[in-house]
Amino acid sequence: MTTEIILAHSESMEEAVDKAEKLLAAGELVGLPTETVYGLGADALNPNAVAKVFEVKQRPSFDPLIVHIASRDDIHQVAKISEELAPTVNALIQAHWPGPLTMVLPKQDCVPDIVTSGLSNVAVRMSNHEVFNNILKKFGGPVAAPSANKFGRISPTSAAAVAEELEGEIPLIVDAGACLEGIESTIIRVEEGENGRAHLHLLRPGPVTKEELQKVGKVVRKKKKSARLLAKEAELGEMTVAQEAPGMSDSHYAPATPLFLYEKPEDFIPEAGKKYGLLSYRGQEKDGYLGAHEWAHVEELSPGKGKLAEAAVRLFYCMRALDYAELDAIVVEPISEVGLGVAIMDRLRRASVI
Ligand code: TXA
Ligand code: MG
């Protein structure tokens, strides 16, 4: 299969939207831009189309997909919202949709089991990307879209990165330039809590921070279960992996080159004859990593003062650049875990082999 990459600029927007819509309607997959990362879109209500997503991504069937909708009201098409949860869900929609927030809620029957990996909940998101939303509106139904990378690999934040992952395997990639957020959406499961205040279970940190969510409900983050407990539950036939935070497996977002996140620069002990690259936050000597070694390649997330938003936008791009630099290993400087720093460190920890 040849993969067409079509630009979605002002003059070519209509053609791009048309082509993407026709392919989605025909049950094909399309690489689509969102404000977080590029997605691999399929008709969410067509199980055969969704099956292709799992096949192309080489994604295990127990890892469900996010369903994207074109307008706020469409949430009722795919999710059931109880009277108790309605005020919280509405407040979250008002504050964060369209935007990088995904809500996990009980699903409507029309959502095929393959989308939710057999779970009774569905993950729903409304993106604020103009091109993406134009395509969704024209298509007229929900679109399931995971990040457009092979399972476990670095999420793509440009059309070129999607092509690196999926060239020859999908018919179309819609190119709308770089993603503005650069990091995947925040995922919460909304549940009834105490005293009328809902619980927001943070399943994946992202651009919408814990502090922002706390304005709407009580944010809870479950501790990770031990390997022993998980094994026991698997033995009992419980789909815990999928229930808690599927796809949140420890190893994720990983480059092919081994990546090491060291809490302190002294923890890095180079081996003779090996080529190392550095992923630095600010590119500042005083942080201790830059001068710790003669790096073969350095990428700086936010040179100078260090801005978290810029670091998030550049994170996956820099990880890809380091991955292509033919290094033996990549060393990563930690970032302070405040605001968006929580989401960035979450991705770096998952990418790290230690
Ligand atoms: O920003 C984003 O969320 C991007 C763009 C394309 O929208 N999408 C994305 O999808 O990151 P993906 O598939 O790479 O990650 C979605 C995560 C997975 O870890 C999946 O396990 C979890 O959402 N998820 C999906 N449905 C779920 C459900 N019903 N319950 C709990 N977690 C769910
Ligand atoms: Mg992903």
Side-chain angles (χ1 to χ4, degrees), residues 23-318:
L23 285 164
L24 289 173
E28 298 295 337
L29 309 186
V30 185
L32 297 169
T34 85
E35 76 278 37
T36 55
V37 300
Y38 273 71
L40 178 62
D43 177 353
L45 304 184
N46 176 346
N48 293 329
V50 175
K52 286 185 195 164
V53 173
F54 284 92
E55 201 180 300
V56 164
K57 266 194 74 113
Q58 294 160 358
R59 179 169 173 128
S61 60
F62 60 74
D63 191 0
L65 308 181
I66 297 178
V67 170
H68 298 72
I69 52 174
S71 73
R72 289 168 164 184
D73 288 342
D74 291 351
I75 190 169
H76 302 289
Q77 284 177 14
V78 293
K80 289 181 196 154
I81 302 163
S82 66
E83 251 175 59
E84 288 80 10
L85 290 185
T88 306
V89 170
N90 287 336
L92 288 164
I93 288 176
Q94 288 301 326
H96 299 291
W97 276 12
L101 178 69
T102 298
M103 281 189 252
V104 174
L105 290 160
K107 81 174 186 80
Q108 292 284 14
D109 295 342
C110 66
V111 179
D113 282 341
I114 188 170
V115 172
T116 62
S117 300
L119 297 176
S120 54
N121 283 336
V122 62
V124 196
R125 164 161 130 77
M126 180 186 172
S127 159
N128 72 8
H129 199 289
E130 188 196 357
V131 176
F132 187 80
N133 286 338
N134 286 348
I135 293 167
L136 243 65
K137 278 188 197 124
K138 180 126 203 199
F139 175 61
V143 165
S147 51
N149 51 279
K150 295 278 182 188
F151 182 69
R153 289 262 309 144
I154 306 166
S155 297
T157 51
S158 66
V162 179
E164 277 163 28
E165 295 283 327
L166 305 175
E167 177 111 63
E169 297 185 70
I170 56 173
L172 183 71
I173 300 169
V174 177
D175 183 353
C179 299
L180 280 179
E181 299 282 357
I183 207 162
E184 304 87 346
S185 62
T186 304
I187 305 181
I188 51 170
R189 191 173 65 229
V190 191
E191 278 177 1
E192 281 161 38
E194 305 117 30
N195 312 325
R197 196 166 150 83
H199 278 181
L200 310 178
H201 291 262
L202 187 58
L203 302 181
R204 178 173 72 184
V208 176
T209 60
K210 187 177 167 191
E211 291 74 17
E212 287 172 286
L213 293 171
Q214 267 160 348
K215 293 178 192 156
V216 182
K218 183 174 175 185
V219 179
V220 283
R221 195 166 183 192
K222 273 220 177 126
K223 284 215 187 85
K224 273 209 295 204
K225 293 192 177 177
S226 69
R228 220 180 103 237
L229 185 58
L230 283 172
K232 198 169 161 213
E233 286 175 340
E235 219 176 75
L236 295 171
E238 292 175 22
M239 282 293 290
T240 26
V241 184
Q243 275 164 6
E244 283 312 321
M248 303 285 107
S249 50
D250 281 352
S251 168
H252 223 80
Y253 312 101
T257 316
L259 181 149
F260 298 84
L261 174 69
Y262 291 114
E263 301 294 337
K264 304 187 293 299
E266 305 79 65
D267 294 343
F268 167 58
I269 299 160
E271 284 176 41
K274 290 216 163 156
K275 266 173 82 182
Y276 293 94
L278 176 70
L279 179 61
S280 169
Y281 177 32
R282 312 184 293 181
Q284 298 250 7
E285 288 284 350
K286 64 181 178 204
D287 294 330
Y289 287 79
L290 206 56
H293 186 71
E294 259 192 47
W295 306 103
H297 188 113
V298 177
E299 289 288 338
E300 295 165 359
L301 290 172
S302 178
K305 285 201 177 122
K307 294 191 187 73
L308 289 170
E310 185 182 26
V313 167
R314 287 176 45 74
L315 179 66
F316 293 140
Y317 166 80
C318 290

